[in-house]
Amino acid sequence: MRRAGTSWWVVLSLFSPWSAHAAEPAESAGARAFKRLGALVGTWEGTFSNGKVHRVTYRLSAVNSVLVETWALGPERESLTLYHLDGDTLVADHYCPQGNTPRLELAKRADTDALSFVFRDGTNLKVKGKSHQHAFWVRLDGPDAFARGETYVENGSTPLQLAKAGPGEAVTYRRVATP
């Protein structure tokens, strides 16, 4: 009789709302950041300090597991950044027109205003005379604006040179089309 009561208690606890809630894992910082970046889906326009206007589009792909960022930099010149989760970490793989692919990841520090990405590793980063994206940040400024700044460094930079690298100019983007 005692054994039957124990089994009944186990069955009840498995189906109770408290048990189901306790079993749900907390959402990672990377997953939260990916959801925030999902608000960028659409087409945006920004202007560099030299007056050059360019467009950036965002779309979700692969059953909404990848955010594709496409930069239209000129005729037949574009770059892509693919945002996706690697476990709990949000990663950004940047496919640059210079032929390299730096991989960056969401910085561990909590920053409520901007999502900062730092260098993780990459491919084709030893080609002399070229540079690569070493860090960037994105700040969402409401549903129709965001700002972004990037840090590029020369390939083969020393640790001291990397430490001295400052952020590039911040550009503000305005939404020009929604999906």
Side-chain angles (χ1 to χ4, degrees):
M1 184 72 161
R2 186 173 185 187
R3 177 181 260 169
T6 303
S7 297
W8 179 247
W9 175 253
V10 170
V11 170
L12 280 178
S13 67
L14 289 175
F15 292 104
S16 75
W18 299 285
S19 174
H21 180 64
E24 292 178 18
E27 187 175 49
S28 70
R32 287 191 305 275
F34 185 80
K35 282 183 182 177
R36 285 179 64 194
L37 287 172
L40 295 174
V41 170
T43 303
W44 302 78
E45 199 168 83
T47 306
F48 291 121
S49 60
N50 65 5
K52 183 170 169 80
V53 176
H54 61 284
R55 287 199 169 201
V56 181
T57 60
Y58 292 87
R59 66 182 176 83
L60 289 167
S61 185
V63 193
N64 298 333
S65 66
V66 176
L67 179 66
V68 179
E69 172 186 88
T70 305
W71 294 71
L73 302 169
E76 297 187 33
R77 186 168 181 226
E78 71 178 18
S79 70
L80 297 173
T81 302
L82 305 180
Y83 298 86
H84 59 92
L85 289 170
D86 180 8
D88 288 341
T89 304
L90 181 58
V91 176
D93 298 332
H94 177 66
Y95 296 86
C96 185
Q98 294 188 64
N100 57 45
T101 307
R103 289 173 22 107
L104 302 101
E105 65 183 38
L106 184 66
K108 302 289 186 227
R109 63 176 155 53
D111 186 339
T112 57
D113 293 337
L115 300 173
S116 297
F117 289 80
V118 295
F119 183 78
R120 182 181 193 177
D121 60 20
T123 61
N124 297 325
L125 301 181
K126 295 185 183 199
V127 178
K128 297 284 185 196
K130 302 272 183 160
S131 61
H132 66 273
Q133 187 179 68
H134 202 72
F136 72 92
W137 57 266
V138 177
R139 185 187 66 232
L140 304 177
D141 295 331
D144 295 320
F146 77 93
R148 180 183 171 115
E150 301 176 339
T151 301
Y152 274 78
V153 298
E154 292 296 318
N155 290 345
S157 293
T158 66
L160 181 59
Q161 290 169 321
L162 293 175
K164 289 182 177 180
E169 71 174 285
V171 176
T172 298
Y173 296 85
R174 303 280 177 222
R175 187 184 295 274
V176 294
T178 54

